[in-house]
Amino acid sequence: MSIIKKLPALTALPLVLAGCVSSAEYAAKEAGFTTVSAKVGGAASKQTVWVQNRQEAEVASAKVKALLAGRKTLDAETAVQIALINNKGLQAAYADLGESAADAWQSTMLLNPTASIGFSGIGTPELGAFKTIEGAITTNLLALMTKKRDIEIADTRFRQAQLNAAVRTLQLAADTRRAWTNAVAAWENVTQLQRAQAAADAASELAEKLGETGAMTKGAQAREHVFAAELAGETAKARLAARLAKEELTRQMGLWGPDTEFQVPNSLPPLPKALMKRDTIEAEALGNRIDLQVARLELEATARSYGLTEATRYVTDLQILAGAESEREVGEDGDKKWETTATGELEFSIPIFDTGKARMRKAELGYIRAANQLAEKAVNVRSEARSAYEAYRSNYDIARHYRNNVVPLRTKVEEESLLSYNGMITNTFELLTDTRDKINSILLSVNAKRDFWLADVSLAPAVYGGGTSAASAGTEAASSSENGGGH
């Protein structure tokens, strides 16, 4: 007869489950996304979504189509809202947040215990020759000892992931506004160049007719023809730049297929009547910049990791196993009995050569590095905030100067030239030259207005995070001021 029986339940295993941290927050489907949504809503005043299944994707797609439907042109606010709903790169960033939540969730779980069963004796179970059957379950006590700090570190990383997702969202919003501004300014440039092209074509045609009558030399005719030809090339370049700018906006919004047939306005909004006052912009940036909060959490995580390294420097290779063992024996007289005993096993490397000081030094330097990075970030944040407001204020003054002084003066010159022409005081070509100069001034005015609105876009990222710094944004605007634009 077989003497193998089911082993009785072991109740002495020290799992210590009662002390575990709740993992419900980490296990939620949208773990941490509420924090991201709240920060984005406060900074960008827009709604963002985390799409995780087909049904949610269909709902998001329906929202995008509703935002696009019935609009003759697409304004900046609508473009940003579409991007926050539809951009796939942003959804990938939210997946990173979900992975961090899963890591934090995993950190709350104890290591699975190890079960083992053994027997001793001679023969087979049918012959009844087994004398002893043993069963044991063990767990790692060192993992239990460091569990609290492991959870704290994982939670800090999770909070970092939330802030990184918020930064990515704000960056997308700023990039979309910037792309919209560039696209609209590009099409406005195309409009102005087309007007200049009409004047140049008229001058070229008139020069040809005067040349036929002998009233104009061939050299003078060639100058008018080449100006019209060069302007046609510039208009074509501006139209290409406008189409490319619109494609950049399309990419930011994540659109494809029929949805890309949207139109943007042919001109930028007028300058505001007055500037926003941001006398405390440095303090606002220090209090609100999300990337600065990320750096603070990095220092916190490094500090916790440093403490963990110090606590385990002498037991890096330590293995502590503890558990309960149950043994069944069959005596010579056929009596059966169960005996349960607690067991323990300790195995470790003797720290004769590697005492852990190198690991301690490495952890200490990691903490110093994180502290200095945080201090550098704080300095840069203050500077970026000042630069953003300086670019905002200065570009406003420049754009207003073109609007209030340069363009009106060019318009006055053109009007006086027209009066002189009507009085036969000046000739046709002088009138056309004054008209072209006015168009050039209008183009400069459009570019100045565009630079202001780009600086306005960079103002919010300087305070809340996400997006290019004001200085680099201003450089980008200046470098692109020579490009044409379109619709």
Side-chain angles (χ1 to χ4, degrees):
M1 296 292 293
S2 171
I3 60 173
I4 297 181
K5 303 290 185 182
K6 289 185 178 179
L7 296 178
L10 301 178
T11 58
L13 183 64
L15 295 178
V16 201
L17 295 176
C20 288
V21 177
S22 173
S23 59
E25 179 184 357
Y26 306 136
K29 180 183 176 183
E30 294 191 349
F33 185 69
T34 301
T35 299
V36 175
S37 182
K39 287 186 175 294
V40 172
S45 301
K46 292 291 177 291
Q47 176 191 10
T48 183
V49 297
W50 186 2
V51 178
Q52 301 188 55
N53 55 51
R54 176 174 294 183
Q55 182 180 3
E56 292 175 351
E58 291 174 351
V59 172
S61 179
K63 287 183 179 179
V64 171
K65 291 186 181 300
L67 289 170
L68 289 171
R71 293 180 181 273
K72 187 175 181 180
T73 58
L74 190 67
D75 60 78
E77 299 303 318
T78 303
V80 171
Q81 185 60 80
I82 291 174
L84 295 186
I85 295 175
N86 200 50
N87 186 280
K88 306 309 178 195
L90 184 61
Q91 295 301 316
Y94 292 160
D96 293 339
L97 171 62
E99 287 186 1
S100 178
D103 289 339
W105 184 13
Q106 183 68 45
S107 72
T108 65
M109 302 178 185
L110 296 173
L111 293 177
N112 292 327
T114 301
S116 61
I117 300 176
F119 56 85
S120 61
I122 302 175
T124 64
E126 289 75 11
L127 298 177
F130 284 118
K131 296 299 182 181
T132 304
I133 301 174
E134 298 179 351
I137 297 179
T138 59
T139 188
N140 193 319
L141 289 182
L142 180 60
L144 294 176
M145 292 165 56
T146 60
K147 175 58 64 175
K148 181 179 178 181
R149 283 185 175 177
D150 287 343
I151 294 174
E152 290 175 347
I153 293 173
D155 181 72
T156 302
R157 295 300 183 192
F158 173 58
R159 285 183 284 144
Q160 270 188 304
Q162 291 177 323
L163 296 178
N164 283 328
V167 168
R168 178 68 181 87
T169 307
L170 294 177
Q171 182 179 10
L172 176 63
D175 288 345
T176 304
R177 290 183 191 276
R178 193 173 291 113
W180 183 89
T181 301
N182 283 326
V184 174
W187 284 112
E188 188 170 359
N189 273 337
V190 168
T191 301
Q192 299 300 332
L193 284 170
Q194 286 174 337
R195 292 177 182 173
Q197 184 69 53
D201 290 342
S204 179
E205 182 179 353
L206 179 59
E208 184 177 357
K209 291 181 179 180
L210 291 175
E212 292 174 354
T213 64
M216 192 173 196
T217 65
K218 292 185 179 297
Q221 293 178 57
R223 280 193 293 272
E224 295 301 327
H225 294 331
V226 74
F227 177 78
E230 289 175 346
L231 194 57
E234 291 299 319
T235 304
K237 286 174 58 179
R239 189 175 288 107
L240 172 61
R243 289 174 181 150
L244 295 179
K246 183 183 175 185
E247 284 299 329
E248 172 62 22
L249 176 60
T250 301
R251 288 195 294 273
Q252 295 295 338
M253 294 190 295
L255 299 177
W256 64 286
D259 291 339
T260 62
E261 300 301 322
F262 67 91
Q263 300 294 327
V264 296
N266 284 323
S267 62
L268 288 168
L271 295 176
K273 294 182 179 180
L275 286 175
M276 292 185 295
K277 298 296 184 182
R278 305 300 288 265
D279 297 333
T280 60
I281 191 169
E282 290 184 50
E284 291 180 54
L286 287 176
N288 296 313
R289 277 285 288 264
I290 299 177
D291 52 346
L292 187 61
Q293 298 173 32
V294 172
R296 291 193 186 103
L297 287 177
E298 180 63 29
L299 181 63
E300 179 182 335
T302 304
R304 293 185 185 280
S305 179
Y306 174 67
L308 181 61
T309 302
E310 183 176 18
T312 60
R313 55 185 273 192
Y314 291 112
V315 290
T316 302
D317 300 321
L318 179 66
Q319 291 184 0
I320 304 176
L321 301 177
E325 178 180 298
S326 182
E327 179 179 316
R328 183 186 185 192
E329 295 184 352
V330 180
E332 294 293 339
D333 56 358
D335 294 338
K336 304 173 183 178
K337 62 180 180 178
W338 284 98
E339 293 183 0
T340 301
T341 58
T343 63
E345 179 182 344
L346 179 65
E347 178 183 343
F348 62 94
S349 299
I350 302 175
I352 297 176
F353 305 109
D354 184 3
T355 61
K357 290 184 178 180
R359 290 190 299 275
M360 286 288 294
R361 178 58 176 164
K362 184 177 180 181
E364 181 181 356
L365 290 174
Y367 179 81
I368 294 174
R369 178 176 60 249
N372 281 286
Q373 288 174 340
L374 175 59
E376 180 191 31
K377 174 64 72 173
V379 171
N380 292 344
V381 161
R382 294 170 68 98
S383 177
E384 289 171 9
R386 293 193 302 270
S387 297
Y389 188 71
E390 182 65 28
Y392 171 78
R393 185 176 57 192
S394 297
N395 279 303
Y396 178 79
D397 292 338
I398 294 169
R400 190 174 59 174
H401 171 72
Y402 274 98
R403 183 195 65 183
N404 295 345
N405 299 304
V406 177
V407 173
L409 286 173
R410 281 296 181 188
T411 302
K412 183 66 174 177
V413 169
E414 183 189 38
E415 291 173 350
E416 291 297 326
S417 180
L418 181 59
L419 291 175
S420 299
Y421 174 77
N422 292 335
M424 304 299 290
I425 300 175
T426 187
N427 60 42
T428 304
F429 300 107
E430 291 177 347
L431 174 62
L432 294 175
T433 298
D434 291 336
T435 301
R436 289 197 298 265
D437 290 341
K438 176 190 174 184
I439 295 298
N440 290 333
S441 296
I442 292 176
L443 290 176
L444 291 174
S445 178
V446 170
N447 291 334
K449 184 168 59 171
R450 179 204 58 199
D451 292 346
F452 164 75
W453 285 115
L454 288 175
D456 179 73
V457 169
S458 298
L459 196 59
V463 175
Y464 296 101
T468 311
S469 67
S472 59
T475 303
E476 175 186 319
S479 65
S480 60
S481 62
E482 299 178 359
N483 296 333
H487 159 69

